[in-house]
Amino acid sequence: MTKEEIESFEKVFTQLMSFHQETAVLVKKDPDGAMNKFKLQLINKVIAKANEIVGDTKPFDDFDGFDIENDLPFNSDVAMILGQYINCMELLRKDNVHIWSGRWYWNVDGNSSGETIRTTDPICQKK
């Protein structure tokens, strides 16, 4: 991944995580409650960026975002989809990082020994 792709990944991943955490709170209160249009518009923007980042490995081939005009999804539906995107992003991270001296770093431009950009431990670590 290029430095720019890594920066985009980190921003989108952080936004997905934040939306997922906030949606989880709504799910606890009212799992079958409808998500409002304002939140869905913001979530759809992040999902569109995530689709660009993960490309063909997006969680569902036929899903590009929530339909906010005709059918508002339940809070639990939004949480489920966000969780799927987080997992896809983590798989991408796993395939593009390496560990050195106990710390995780991105492989910048496919190189594990060039520029160093630290990252968090991938949830889905290589076996």
Side-chain angles (χ1 to χ4, degrees), residues 5-14 93 106 118-119:
E5 289 171 331
I6 292 167
E7 289 171 356
S8 178
F9 176 99
E10 293 285 359
K11 178 180 179 181
V12 170
F13 184 78
T14 301
R93 181 195 314 261
W106 285 100
R118 283 192 62 190
T119 187

Side-chain angles (χ1 to χ4, degrees), residues 59-118:
F60 306 100
D61 293 337
D62 59 346
F63 182 82
D64 294 314
F66 293 102
D67 179 1
I68 60 176
E69 296 304 320
N70 299 315
D71 191 23
L72 294 176
F74 295 135
N75 294 326
S76 58
D77 298 334
V78 176
M80 180 196 67
I81 292 293
L82 290 171
Q84 294 296 312
Y85 272 90
I86 288 167
N87 288 336
C88 283
M89 297 282 285
E90 277 297 347
L91 288 172
L92 181 63
R93 181 195 314 261
K94 174 191 69 110
D95 291 339
N96 289 281
V97 296
H98 65 279
I99 192 166
W100 186 71
S101 294
R103 295 189 175 139
W104 289 92
Y105 295 90
W106 285 100
N107 299 332
V108 182
D109 295 324
N111 186 351
S112 62
S113 61
E115 183 176 0
T116 57
I117 300 174
R118 283 192 62 190

Side-chain angles (χ1 to χ4, degrees), residues 13-91:
F13 184 78
T14 301
Q15 290 173 315
L16 285 170
M17 290 294 290
S18 177
F19 282 139
H20 189 259
Q21 291 168 351
E22 292 171 24
T23 303
V25 172
L26 296 175
V27 168
K28 286 182 182 179
K29 291 180 181 179
D30 187 9
D32 295 332
M35 179 73 63
N36 72 47
K37 286 185 179 185
F38 174 74
K39 290 176 186 159
L40 284 172
Q41 287 172 334
L42 296 175
I43 290 170
N44 276 345
K45 286 180 183 180
V46 173
I47 286 175
K49 291 177 186 175
N51 285 336
E52 291 175 15
I53 292 169
V54 298
D56 292 338
T57 63
K58 70 182 190 174
F60 306 100
D61 293 337
D62 59 346
F63 182 82
D64 294 314
F66 293 102
D67 179 1
I68 60 176
E69 296 304 320
N70 299 315
D71 191 23
L72 294 176
F74 295 135
N75 294 326
S76 58
D77 298 334
V78 176
M80 180 196 67
I81 292 293
L82 290 171
Q84 294 296 312
Y85 272 90
I86 288 167
N87 288 336
C88 283
M89 297 282 285
E90 277 297 347
L91 288 172

